[in-house]
């Protein structure tokens, strides 16, 4: 399995459907890096073109990997180590391509499911667990990934529904659930 | 299905295995209430005996249910409405019993799996989806629920494992994954 996760802060929508660059939330870094570590992702890309935000991510990473935090909590260290900052989804793809020797398949997540080539959890599971291809799953912050980014991805994953029609989970919760559905031990593709 | 969720701030462990009352994190209220709403829980109990913390939860709830927040974001409103503050797990059980006419089955979650009567996800799914019994699932903040609380529960749920042996998810991520495993549409118990 060659799994990569990306948390995109630009281009995403705000409440009024304008395209914005959202602020990095440090809790997202911790929660999603621990999810990445749990589900054996190779890297967790934090995507933002804003230099001050890139620096913030760098400082958080340094604190937990090299600084006082590393001694305080090694579980956080082994998760935050997976974080890598890139200015764009394209730049993250380039890093993955250089490491894997091929372009990754990009799967966009989309709570509103308006664009892109839809893929079910079952199909995405097979792709990830059986195809041998590198897969890059991207999550949007704020009100979600912009439509062009979703259209440019290879696939768009079905929204997360639970038991109701409510699908307004935080990106932290959605990322956790999606990773569990795609690569959790209970969801291993056999045969 | 008669599902209730509890987020316990006392009694839980700190890093040194002392029993403490942890502070309420407002983001937990938002993330986990949205998970509760997604998976059709009837209530989301925030358990803390500390009066200032109870007041904090009350203020957050009021803001999003009645105040400016209710107009700003109705998705948050319909989630936060599920929040109910109680001083203890026992007090939450009493509220559930009064509403359901029977005591709920309590399932404790435990990343370290040291105590209690173990239950698999498959069994817990059946219990929740088929038995007709009210089920109260409790999550510990900080370093987890104290052993006595776990021992007093009817069952202790298997820890969440992903693809690795790392099981240090945030309580927000763990609650999301556990709810999806127990009541997500992909995990419906048929027949």
């Amino acid at each position: 399995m060659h799994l990569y996760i990306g948390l995109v802060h630009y281009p995403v929508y705000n409440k009024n459907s304008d395209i914005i660059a959202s602020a990095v939330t440090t809790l997202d870094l911790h929660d999603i890096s621990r999810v990445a570590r749990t589900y054996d992702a190779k890297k967790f890309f934090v995507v933002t073109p804003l230099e001050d935000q890139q620096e913030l991510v760098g400082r958080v990473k340094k604190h937990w990997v090299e600084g006082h935090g590393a001694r305080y909590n090694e579980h956080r260290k082994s998760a935050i180590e997976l974080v890598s900052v890139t200015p764009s989804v394209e730049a993250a793809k380039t890093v993955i391509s250089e490491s894997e020797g091929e372009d990754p398949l990009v799967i966009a997540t989309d709570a509103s499911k308006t664009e892109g080539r839809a893929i079910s959890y079952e199909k995405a599971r097979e792709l990830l667990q059986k195809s041998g291809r590198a897969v890059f799953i991207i999550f949007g912050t704020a009100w979600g990934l912009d439509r062009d980014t979703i259209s440019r991805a290879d696939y768009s994953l079905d929204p997360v529904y639970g038991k109701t029609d409510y699908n307004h989970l935080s990106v932290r919760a959605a990322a956790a659930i999606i990773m569990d559905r795609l690569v959790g031990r209970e969801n291993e593709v056999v045969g």
Side-chain angles (χ1 to χ4, degrees), chain A residues 30 50 68 121 166:
Chain A
H30 287 296
L50 302 179
H68 174 69
Y121 287 90
Y166 183 92

Side-chain angles (χ1 to χ4, degrees), chain A residues 7-126:
Chain A
L7 183 67
V8 178
H9 296 80
Y10 174 86
V12 292
Y13 292 113
N14 70 6
K15 192 171 190 293
N16 302 317
S17 304
D18 308 314
I19 290 177
I20 56 153
S22 69
V24 167
T25 304
T26 58
L27 206 65
D28 287 354
L29 306 184
H30 287 296
D31 279 23
I32 300 176
S33 69
R34 287 152 84 181
V35 165
R37 181 74 181 71
T38 300
Y39 293 95
D40 213 15
K42 294 192 163 190
K43 266 188 198 305
F44 166 35
F45 291 98
V46 178
V47 177
T48 174
L50 302 179
E51 283 183 17
D52 66 325
Q53 299 291 296
Q54 294 177 347
E55 281 164 23
L56 169 64
V57 179
R59 278 201 305 277
V60 170
K61 181 172 177 181
K62 194 171 176 189
H63 173 77
W64 291 101
V65 172
E66 298 172 22
H68 174 69
R71 290 182 295 279
Y72 176 73
N73 189 333
E74 68 176 43
H75 300 310
R76 290 210 176 184
K77 177 184 172 181
S78 73
I80 284 280
E81 275 175 345
L82 298 174
V83 168
S84 187
V85 189
T86 47
S88 66
V89 172
E90 282 306 312
K93 281 178 66 178
T94 302
V95 174
I96 299 170
S97 301
E98 282 170 3
S99 160
E100 297 283 343
E102 61 171 3
D103 282 348
L105 288 170
V106 179
I107 302 181
T109 59
D110 179 14
S112 53
K113 197 173 183 178
T114 49
E115 302 287 330
R117 211 170 130 207
I119 188 171
S120 67
Y121 287 90
E122 193 184 345
K123 286 281 175 202
R125 233 171 355 241
E126 279 179 27

